[in-house]
Amino acid sequence: MMAETKAVAGAAEAGPAEEGRRKTVVLVAVDDSDHSYRALEWAVRHVAARAGVAGAGAVELVVVHAKPPPSPVVTMGGPGVSGDVVRLVEADLRKKAEGVVDKARRLCVANSVQGVVDVVDGEPRHVLCNAVEKHHADLLVVGSHGYGAIKRALLGSVSDYCAHHAHCSVMIVKQPKFKN
């Protein structure tokens, strides 16, 4: 399993947490969907707002992107898939992950929020639950695609899985419904 962890440059370096007080860790799942970006916007907005409150305590933002391994994508092509195809798929997945991470970094910097970005190979539901443990997260923030019960049963739901298996509170950020 590959993991890449980098700090997001934002505002001035955060000071040490108050004596005896552990910082709050907010972990946000991102992928290339608008739903996950909305979840990141929600988390950044709330972390930035809390940073401005005296006595609120330190907050650490951890942005996690689960990069799928190329093997499940490639095996759909059948048993005769060449190594060149695997390398092309891997390069495409890496490029997509870089775009996701870059967009997340820009949002953090624009809001003067510091954080850590973690890119991990694997199935998103498992990557996120493992990241909650690794970073001792207090809150996991995920987006919701808004699937109905049948589609969710067929495709699976990362947010539903995390809500039942992550060892922290889970905030599922939904798309707003517009009334006509």
Side-chain angles (χ1 to χ4, degrees), residues 114-152:
Q114 289 197 342
V116 173
V117 176
D118 224 356
V119 177
V120 182
D121 286 339
E123 171 66 33
R125 64 189 73 212
H126 301 297
V127 166
L128 295 174
C129 288
N130 290 339
V132 163
E133 298 300 316
K134 174 184 172 186
H135 295 282
H136 307 287
D138 298 291
L139 177 64
L140 170 62
V141 181
V142 295
S144 171
H145 287 273
Y147 295 147
I150 294 172
K151 201 169 194 180
R152 195 170 48 246

Side-chain angles (χ1 to χ4, degrees), residues 7-95:
V8 175
E13 193 67 29
E18 293 177 31
E19 287 283 330
R21 235 186 181 175
R22 188 177 78 80
K23 65 185 169 221
T24 300
V25 178
V26 177
L27 195 139
V28 186
V30 294
D31 59 21
D32 61 344
S33 72
D34 290 338
H35 306 282
S36 77
Y37 193 68
R38 182 174 301 281
L40 178 60
E41 287 174 328
W42 183 93
V44 165
R45 190 171 59 248
H46 285 80
V47 167
R50 183 169 170 168
V53 175
V59 179
E60 178 181 356
L61 181 68
V62 179
V63 179
V64 177
H65 174 66
K67 184 171 76 66
S71 55
V73 176
V74 172
T75 54
M76 286 188 241
V81 177
S82 75
D84 290 340
V85 172
V86 172
R87 283 187 289 282
L88 285 172
V89 170
E90 176 62 36
D92 185 55
L93 291 170
R94 191 173 25 254
K95 185 176 180 180

